[in-house]
Amino acid sequence: MTTADRRAALALLTLALLVLAAGYGLRDPWPADEPRFVLVAKQMVDSGDYLFPHRGAELYPDKPPIYFWLLSLAYGLVGSWRGSFLLPSLLSALGTLALVYDLGRRLWSPRAGFWAATAVLVSLQFVYQAKRAQIDPTLVFMTTFAFYGLCRHVLQGPHWRWYLAACFAAGLGVVTKGVGFLPLLALLPFALMARRGWQGLAPVPAGSGLRWWAGGLAFLAAIALWLGPVLAVGLTSGNPEHEEYLRNILFKQTAQRYADPWHHHEPFWYFGEIIALFWAPFSLALPWLLRPWREAWRARDARVWLPLAWFGLVIVFFSLSAGKRDMYILPALPALALAAAPYLDDISRRRGFRLLVLAFTALLSLVLAAGGLMALFGDPSFEAKLVAERGLGQEARWLWWMLVGVGGSGLLAVLVAAAAKLRGALAACAWLLAALWCGYGFVVHPLLDDENSARKVMQAARDLAGPGTTIGLVDWKEQNLLQAVGPMAEFGFRADPLVQLARARAWLAQAPGERVLMLQSSKDLACVDTAAGSQRVGTANRRVWWLVDERALAGCEAPTAP
């Protein structure tokens, strides 16, 4: 690597750290998934049970435990949930960028590695997910690591240790989220390319069959690190909850969720929309990539088409299921960036591409600036709903001014680039994205944290109830239990709200002077009279919360046996 290459890599790493870490430590977990995952990890730490995750008193079978173990480890290192819950996502995102850069460098050049990592970093969905405590950034790192190891073996090898490491990482990916096996699908196009004599493939020595099968053992060994103990305990404990946990996580959350999903139904072409919109501005280069990809096909260049083929397999795999969510295909983004890497430098110099990037920058800047100005000086109803739902006051003006500042600076950068005959188009786009993500981290995070995290409403509930009163949660959300202050009780999470209420009434009757219920205004609990025996706690997550005693429950049916 030349000095210029090292400087470019250092600049990219610095920018990535700034963008990804902006706002770190300035908020608590936010719904929908973050409070659930952090609560599960917190209960692991508190109870010492790291094998069977719990959400409150109930087992949580929706996800395998590796991500919860990582959250627990981050807490052990930092000593604070607020300061640690984003650490796995941050490190995973940085690790993904490093792997993409290094693989692009090895396959083509340091410049290609730089462009591959840049393509991933500028994609809107990648940064958004990396700034959240969800499983997907960790999954993306593991799938990228597995794909990296496979490419080191089949494109630059043979490197059998990298092959085994890739298979082991894919197994860990399965224990992180069931689709972690996806990188192994890259062996299918590799086998076809090897049979047809494609260029760029590493020579495979004769008589390597046992070594290839060893990869399957490494894959299963990683899964067995978790599955072995959980099966041993779950099948011998005699606890019916353990058996139900195994049925749910091994079948319902994997095969059934893919073959017969019960939510998030989308059309077959859904992921095409996601790539076009949420992988922008990288996706803007796709029209210019079609011709070089076609030429690489004619040249039988496996360095380009192995990542591209695996990308296609991932898209097809998820498109065949009726249940689709935008983050499902995120593991395929690094592969698409690697397939584009050798051509992005040339594309970046093309006038048509720069013009398109500048138009994208101008449009996004205009939307942000106009939205902020309308909220500040336009029709009050424009922002009134958001302010009312989020319980905000005058501090909401900081949000609007942030949008105006980011959008206005983006428009100024667009004007400068236009005056320079598009030479600064890419820099203008980079400036806008960096400003947007920094504004999101340093302004939105602290501004909306009280409402989104439920921290403020749970402290208010404790202040109203008093230090010695036990608060019983009914129809609660994970953030309520996570942010609870003082003695708490709950009556199940998955149970119907009226069933929870029946259990809570029986519990309340045992010590009415020392206990109180906390619940939300909802259709399910319409029988609760909040005008009698109630105290309004406040709003959180667009819900109104109350403290109630037995008087407020007079209109509800008598409790059944808890």
Side-chain angles (χ1 to χ4, degrees):
M1 291 177 62
T2 65
T3 301
D5 291 330
R6 293 190 183 93
R7 289 176 178 173
L10 181 60
L12 181 62
L13 174 62
T14 303
L15 180 62
L17 185 59
L18 171 65
V19 167
L20 296 172
Y24 187 99
L26 297 182
R27 68 173 179 90
D28 288 292
W30 289 0
D33 296 326
E34 292 181 352
R36 180 184 317 134
F37 296 157
V38 178
L39 176 63
V40 170
K42 182 177 184 297
Q43 291 191 238
M44 281 184 170
V45 173
D46 293 343
S47 68
D49 183 1
Y50 290 89
L51 199 56
F52 290 93
H54 283 77
R55 173 174 50 190
E58 299 174 348
L59 285 170
Y60 179 69
D62 292 12
K63 296 292 186 294
I66 275 195
Y67 183 66
F68 309 136
W69 295 345
L70 293 176
L71 287 173
S72 303
L73 176 61
Y75 172 78
L77 294 174
V78 177
S80 161
W81 289 110
R82 184 184 179 100
S84 66
F85 79 98
L86 287 172
L87 187 59
S89 294
L90 174 62
L91 296 180
S92 294
L94 292 173
T96 299
L97 293 173
L99 290 170
V100 170
Y101 174 87
D102 189 64
L103 187 55
R105 176 183 68 86
R106 292 175 181 275
L107 292 178
W108 292 286
S109 68
R111 189 67 176 168
F114 171 86
W115 278 110
T118 299
V120 174
L121 179 61
V122 300
S123 299
L124 297 174
Q125 188 187 43
F126 177 80
V127 179
Y128 177 73
Q129 291 295 334
K131 295 176 77 67
R132 297 183 59 79
Q134 293 185 330
I135 297 177
D136 299 278
T138 302
L139 174 69
V140 171
F141 171 74
M142 291 186 175
T143 55
T144 303
F145 184 92
F147 186 71
Y148 174 95
L150 289 176
C151 288
R152 290 292 302 272
H153 177 58
V154 303
L155 296 178
Q156 292 196 309
H159 291 303
W160 291 104
R161 290 182 181 178
W162 272 115
Y163 169 67
L164 294 176
C167 294
F168 189 83
L172 292 180
V174 169
V175 188
T176 303
K177 202 171 184 179
V179 296
F181 69 91
L182 286 172
L184 299 183
L185 295 180
L187 294 175
L188 297 176
F190 162 71
L192 293 174
M193 292 174 180
R195 175 171 294 185
R196 298 186 179 183
W198 277 55
Q199 302 296 317
L201 293 176
V204 179
S208 303
L210 290 178
R211 288 188 170 186
W212 286 108
W213 283 109
L217 295 178
F219 174 73
L220 295 175
I223 298 175
L225 291 177
W226 163 72
L227 188 58
V230 80
L231 284 176
V233 175
L235 296 178
T236 60
S237 66
N239 187 338
E241 289 187 343
H242 287 170
E243 296 179 7
E244 174 59 27
Y245 173 86
L246 292 175
R247 282 194 297 270
N248 199 318
I249 198 168
L250 296 179
F251 300 105
K252 181 179 179 180
Q253 297 298 332
T254 52
Q256 182 180 344
R257 187 167 190 158
Y258 179 83
D260 187 22
W262 51 91
H263 55 183
H264 302 301
H265 290 179
E266 299 290 349
F268 183 82
W269 59 84
Y270 172 73
F271 292 121
E273 300 174 357
I274 298 302
I275 293 170
L277 297 176
F278 297 112
W279 290 11
F282 168 44
S283 59
L284 300 179
L286 292 178
W288 283 270
L289 286 165
L290 297 179
R291 182 175 178 179
W293 282 344
R294 184 169 61 249
E295 293 173 352
W297 173 269
R298 291 171 180 168
R300 298 296 189 261
D301 190 344
R303 296 176 302 170
V304 173
W305 272 94
L306 183 65
L308 202 54
W310 182 68
F311 163 80
L313 287 173
V314 173
I315 301 302
V316 170
F317 174 84
F318 285 115
S319 296
L320 291 176
S321 174
K324 302 176 181 68
R325 298 185 69 185
D326 59 286
M327 73 281 292
Y328 284 179
I329 61 169
L330 191 58
L333 173 61
L336 186 65
L338 285 165
Y343 314 112
L344 289 176
D345 195 27
D346 177 66
I347 292 173
S348 69
R349 296 187 176 93
R350 303 211 174 184
R351 177 177 176 81
F353 176 70
R354 291 188 177 190
L355 187 61
L356 185 58
V357 170
L358 199 64
F360 166 82
T361 307
L363 179 61
L364 182 55
S365 299
L366 187 62
V367 169
L368 295 173
L373 289 173
M374 289 180 65
L376 284 168
F377 306 112
D379 185 351
S381 64
F382 178 80
E383 82 282 2
K385 183 179 180 181
L386 175 64
V387 171
E389 287 179 344
R390 298 295 179 180
L392 299 175
Q394 289 299 314
E395 67 272 17
R397 297 179 66 85
W398 290 107
L399 174 60
W400 315 132
W401 280 116
M402 183 273 290
L403 294 178
V404 172
V406 171
S409 67
L411 289 173
L412 180 61
V414 167
L415 293 176
V416 172
K421 299 182 179 180
L422 303 180
R423 283 193 296 270
L426 302 187
C429 185
W431 169 265
L432 173 65
L433 295 177
L436 176 62
W437 290 124
C438 287
Y440 176 75
F442 292 124
V443 178
V444 177
H445 279 191
L447 186 66
L448 299 184
D449 186 56
D450 283 347
E451 150 67 20
N452 277 0
S453 69
R455 176 167 50 88
K456 184 177 180 180
V457 78
M458 295 311 295
Q459 182 60 59
R462 174 52 57 197
D463 294 340
L464 289 172
T469 301
T470 302
I471 299 175
L473 295 174
V474 177
D475 195 17
W476 52 284
K477 299 300 178 184
E478 290 96 343
Q479 55 269 24
N480 297 118
L481 188 56
L482 177 64
Q483 300 290 350
V485 181
M488 306 291 295
E490 49 90 11
F491 312 96
F493 183 85
R494 295 180 181 271
D496 183 271
L498 290 177
V499 173
Q500 295 183 42
L501 185 62
R503 297 170 179 170
R505 290 186 71 178
W507 172 82
L508 187 64
Q510 295 173 4
E514 302 172 2
R515 298 174 178 178
V516 68
L517 300 184
M518 180 176 178
L519 47 80
Q520 60 172 302
S521 298
S522 68
K523 294 180 181 179
D524 292 327
L525 299 178
C527 65
V528 178
D529 183 8
T530 54
S534 305
Q535 293 177 289
R536 190 179 189 275
V537 180
T539 61
N541 309 114
R542 292 170 288 184
R543 298 177 177 89
V544 180
W545 295 89
W546 300 83
L547 289 181
V548 304
D549 58 26
E550 180 61 37
R551 291 172 294 170
L553 309 179
C556 300
E557 295 182 3
T560 58

